[in-house]
Amino acid sequence: MRFHSLWLVAAASFVLAGCGGSGNGLINVPNPRGRFANVFPGVSSAKVKVGDDIIGDSSGIGFGTVSEYIVTDNGNKDLTAGDSTFDNLATLPGELYETEKRYTGIGYGSSPRTILLLQDNKDQASSGTVSLRLANVAQSKGALDVYVTDSTAGDTLPGSPAFPNVGVGVVSDFSSVPAASGPLSARIRVFAQGQVVNPLVDKTVVLDSRERAAILVYEDSGETSGVNALVVKENL
């Protein structure tokens, strides 16, 4: 399985949103769309802009949540995030937002505060599967092994993780999980690399067959392990 550095992926994308929209004065050419996931430790609400366009509502983007998509003009622009202002925490400068593409920005980490930009994959997964990828944005936790199983299959782990040895600031390739009989009740278990007991995260989400999603593993002081996971659907 290939892994890409955070910075390379950061340069590739920013947002997750809906469809449609006008396109820079051109008929039937949709503008890019962007959204933002606030997983900055200790930031209860993040204010975010891409260029001059505000992402999220007037109250900001709550910790551990992802905003709705917004439409923005195509071109190069800064993605900025803050709490007291729109840019006092982190800036990802000069990224290219391309027509007909969607981006998800991920704000994470404390030292330093960092923004990772994903270009979302709008294509459906293969028939009878869901397609997942992992972003390890738990800045202080080191490499992770992540297992994804059908929640009805019991506690036994597969012989190997779906996402092995994923370093901090790394985004994996997509991995397919069988979902032949309809929606998959996906159990996500996150371990420190090389461990198979005492998961840092053990949660279940329901995904429809042929969905694509990114699993964001991030620091969360509200959890006993200090780690949480947010599943962000991509092919909306």
Side-chain angles (χ1 to χ4, degrees):
M1 178 180 294
R2 297 193 324 271
F3 296 106
H4 309 287
S5 73
L6 176 62
W7 298 109
L8 291 176
V9 177
S13 36
F14 155 72
V15 159
L16 207 301
C19 307
S22 61
N24 299 339
L26 302 176
I27 296 175
N28 295 325
V29 180
N31 279 342
R33 293 173 180 268
R35 64 182 175 177
F36 195 89
N38 171 21
V39 291
F40 287 121
V43 178
S44 60
S45 182
K47 300 179 179 181
V48 181
K49 282 185 176 181
V50 55
D52 294 326
D53 298 319
I54 296 173
I55 299 174
D57 59 28
S58 59
S59 62
I61 301 164
F63 178 71
T65 69
V66 62
S67 73
E68 298 292 333
Y69 283 111
I70 66 156
V71 177
T72 189
D73 291 338
N74 67 296
N76 293 85
K77 58 190 74 180
D78 295 348
L79 176 60
T80 63
D83 49 9
S84 59
T85 69
F86 281 95
D87 60 1
N88 67 303
L89 293 180
T91 296
L92 184 63
E95 292 299 319
L96 175 61
Y97 297 86
E98 297 183 75
T99 298
E100 296 186 338
K101 293 184 178 179
R102 303 178 192 170
Y103 303 87
T104 298
I106 305 168
Y108 76 98
S110 299
S111 298
R113 302 286 193 185
T114 304
I115 297 174
L116 166 66
L117 190 60
L118 298 180
Q119 182 174 305
D120 299 330
N121 188 325
K122 299 182 291 183
D123 296 333
Q124 287 186 315
S126 299
S127 179
T129 70
V130 298
S131 189
L132 302 172
R133 59 177 168 172
L134 179 75
N136 178 1
V137 291
Q139 193 176 65
S140 68
K141 299 303 180 181
L144 302 172
D145 290 339
V146 178
Y147 294 79
V148 182
T149 57
D150 189 324
S151 67
T152 65
D155 293 334
T156 301
L157 290 171
S160 59
F163 305 103
N165 194 24
V166 182
V168 176
V170 170
V171 178
S172 75
D173 287 336
F174 283 98
S175 179
S176 294
V177 179
S181 60
L184 171 69
S185 180
R187 185 178 180 185
I188 298 166
R189 284 175 280 183
V190 179
F191 296 87
Q193 193 273 324
Q195 302 299 307
V196 291
V197 295
N198 300 322
L200 301 171
V201 177
D202 186 348
K203 69 190 307 181
T204 298
V205 297
V206 176
L207 296 166
D208 289 331
S209 181
R210 306 201 71 182
E211 281 193 326
R212 286 185 186 271
I215 304 167
L216 315 183
V217 178
Y218 63 96
E219 294 168 291
D220 183 351
S221 62
E223 298 294 323
T224 301
S225 67
V227 180
N228 207 339
L230 175 65
V231 177
V232 179
K233 296 180 182 181
E234 298 193 32
N235 63 326
L236 298 176

